[in-house]
Amino acid sequence: MPRPGAARLAPPSWLTEGLRPRAAPVPWAAVARASVALSAPLAVGTATGRTAYGALVSMGALSAVIGDTADAYRMRVFNIAVPQLFGALGVLLGTLVYGTGWTAVAVLTAVALVSGMISSIGAVASVSGLLLLLNAVVGAGLPLPSPWWLPPGLLLLGGLLVLALTLLAWPLRVGVPERAVVAGTYRAVADLLAAAGTPEYDERRRELTQSLNHSYDLLLARRARRHGRSPTLVRLLAQLNAVIPVVEGAAAAHLRPPRYGPLPAAYPAAVHTLADAVEQGRTEPAPAPDLPVAAGPSTRALVEAIGHAATVVHEAAPDPYAVDDRLGRPAGLEVRARRATRALLLSGASWRYGLRLALCIGIAQVLVSVIAVPRSYWVALTVTFVMKPDFGSVFSRAVLRALGTAVGLLIAIPVLAEVPHGWWDVPVMAVLAALIPAFSVKGYGFQTVAITPVILLLSDLLNHRGFHLVPPRLYDSLIGCAVSLLAGYLLWPESWHTRIGDRLVEAVQDTAAYVSLAFTTEPGRDEPARARHRRRLYRDLSTVRSEFQRALTEPPPVGPRAEAWWPVVIAVERIVDATTATRVRIEHGAPVPTAAEVGAVTRELADLAESLRTGRPLPEPDADALAPDCALARLHHEVHAARSVAAPTL
């Protein structure tokens, strides 16, 4: 029995949420790569008497290790190379203003503005903006070797080393990461089928949504624009498209009447077999899946969908002209470049984040210019890491950065105090570098713990301060976190609010459009359009879920407000599921709803979206609009449930 007052002594939930390690396997290949990439340059530098050169190469390798997060090799080339170029430009700008006082303050503030605006374009641009500012801060704060072109060149060399180590296995593993990701989606579908009709279904469906998003992003991100594209990618895209009808059939099976009993295990087993075939790249003819006789529209849909998926999985060379893109074909490079430029220059969010980051960096640089702060570049480095909203909550990152730095300094103390410079640095760096990928998958705070001693060791190799680096680094980190909280969080009211409500309004409006699209066309018509709309809806709801998880790491009142929206998020997901399930049943013999029934459901969804947007009470539904046994009875029930759970939040 807990003691009285124990609840008051427990840490707040918004803090424990960020401190809880994620359940993720250790990426052993990345661990080995990081260990070699950061320690080998130090070995070469020690052997040649150029320790500072080796430290700079290791610093470039560190940036590449942090940014190497893609699965496919062709994407990893892009994800590593492009940010390294921006990092080289950043250190060049920093070295040019080293020791110039207020000129350095102005230049770093301008670089922060550009860095923040660049970060709004996309994931690779975000890492590029991060390295641009980080390396500019390092170049302006540390005495680096001359001439001016040497530090950028050494940093690029470190990035190229990581890239070379990353690509060593490419000839032996062509297509393996892509096949593994698509096979993982098939296994997620099998798990969804196994959970049909059980309380675990909703969680399995959310996991499947994330897997589908990841698979489509991976296959379409670098896909050629012409039909003469990679046969491997064409085949994998066809296999991924083929599993979508199985997903839709799973929704119908989950909502089928209880009299049919649980879904037979043969259905998920058949999809697991297909997953193995996808991962192994098997193309030999295979017997049709052995499935039970269909007992209704839902299982008829599953038998047909799994049979079609089996045919596609074992097809050696799908016709590239017959493979449609369920998320829409990516725009051309020129179109994407224009969109990115327009988002960069005209987006209010881009300017707001750029100004927030510039304000924080400017304040940090002014502060360390007027107050004697030894090795003051660490303050701006801390601000840069914390002020990355696409990496999570600014508030929680500031707290986790302070805690992670403190723990990381405890690791660094014996290293800096007891390990002599020279060859001992090499094995120590090998061990510390290996911790970075292993800890990074657990969360931001754990990543900070691993990175802190590595950066301190590299800094010591450049300025030879030894143990005396440790206390200033803790003070500097606390100052940087305080600047981020005050100038990057508290001064911006938008930081105190969650966007879950706004995103939910958009999702409910899109759900109404999906209902209309699903039931105003004849069976067998406009299936690709429905599939794209449904995938876009689930992707949007996945974004809402990510926003919710981020809001949980915020202190009151943001966290409690986000929790109030959670039942509505679940209710909207169930409406989309019910819509898909009803359409699948119609395709396989269930009654077709009338236009009046469809109109009644879409009106109630439109009323729900308007009430969520304005906060006004929901109008009373028309009790006689739909009969209890109509074709949309289950969907109507889910809409009423959503209206009921939304009422307390209005």
Side-chain angles (χ1 to χ4, degrees), residues 52-53 56 59 91-92 94-95 98 135 138-148 150-152 155 462:
Y53 289 9
L56 281 173
M59 195 172 292
V91 79
L92 175 60
T95 54
Y98 173 73
N135 288 355
V138 170
L142 282 174
L144 300 181
S146 299
W148 61 267
L150 187 57
L155 289 175
L462 291 171

Side-chain angles (χ1 to χ4, degrees), residues 273-472:
T273 301
L274 295 180
D276 294 337
V278 170
E279 189 164 29
Q280 298 165 13
R282 298 201 302 263
T283 58
E284 70 277 4
D290 185 15
L291 298 174
V293 177
S298 302
T299 47
R300 279 199 298 272
L302 275 179
V303 169
E304 180 180 315
I306 294 175
H308 171 68
T311 301
V312 173
V313 164
H314 293 284
E315 189 176 6
D319 180 5
Y321 290 90
V323 179
D324 64 321
D325 298 333
R326 294 302 176 105
L327 293 184
R329 184 165 300 164
L333 180 61
E334 295 181 0
V335 174
R336 294 201 299 269
R338 287 198 300 270
R339 289 175 180 172
T341 303
R342 185 164 56 248
L344 176 68
L345 298 177
L346 303 180
S347 168
S350 170
W351 279 99
R352 282 195 301 273
Y353 173 54
L355 290 172
R356 286 173 67 183
L357 184 56
L359 175 64
C360 291
I361 291 293
I363 291 176
Q365 289 299 111
V366 169
L367 185 64
V368 300
S369 296
V370 299
I371 300 175
V373 179
R375 306 299 175 186
S376 57
Y377 65 92
W378 198 273
V379 177
L381 284 180
T382 300
V383 170
T384 304
F385 275 116
V386 171
M387 287 298 300
K388 291 294 292 179
D390 53 328
F391 289 171
S393 161
V394 170
F395 186 95
S396 65
R397 284 171 67 82
V399 175
L400 293 175
R401 179 76 183 180
L403 295 176
T405 300
V407 177
L409 289 175
L410 293 177
I411 299 174
I413 287 174
V415 173
L416 297 177
E418 301 298 334
V419 177
H421 280 311
W423 285 105
W424 278 106
D425 290 327
V426 178
V428 170
M429 177 59 75
V431 173
L432 293 178
L435 297 178
I436 296 175
F439 280 28
S440 294
V441 296
K442 301 301 180 182
Y444 175 72
F446 298 92
Q447 183 189 58
T448 302
V449 170
I451 290 177
T452 297
V454 171
I455 296 180
L456 283 173
L457 180 55
L458 293 176
S459 300
D460 188 36
L461 292 173
L462 291 171
N463 55 42
H464 305 291
R465 290 290 303 279
F467 175 76
H468 299 291
L469 276 173
V470 175

Side-chain angles (χ1 to χ4, degrees), residues 192 201-214 216 244 247-252 254-255 326-327 503-504 506-508 510-511 514 530-546 569-582 584 635 638:
L192 184 72
Y201 177 86
D202 288 340
E203 184 60 31
R204 299 290 86 78
R205 196 246 312 120
R206 287 189 283 270
E207 293 173 358
L208 172 62
T209 297
Q210 294 177 350
S211 180
L212 279 169
N213 290 345
H214 183 42
Y216 272 115
I244 296 299
V247 176
E248 295 174 342
H254 177 60
L255 297 180
R326 294 302 176 105
L327 293 184
R503 293 185 183 276
L504 261 180
E506 297 172 0
V508 173
D510 289 343
T511 301
Y514 176 50
R530 286 199 308 275
R532 282 195 294 271
H533 201 113
R534 176 181 171 277
R535 286 291 309 122
R536 188 167 59 248
L537 253 178
Y538 275 122
R539 182 180 288 269
D540 291 344
L541 289 170
S542 179
T543 302
V544 173
R545 182 175 293 275
S546 298
V569 176
I570 296 176
V572 175
E573 290 175 340
R574 292 175 65 89
I575 291 172
V576 179
D577 268 350
T579 303
T580 300
T582 304
V584 168
L635 175 58
E638 296 295 349

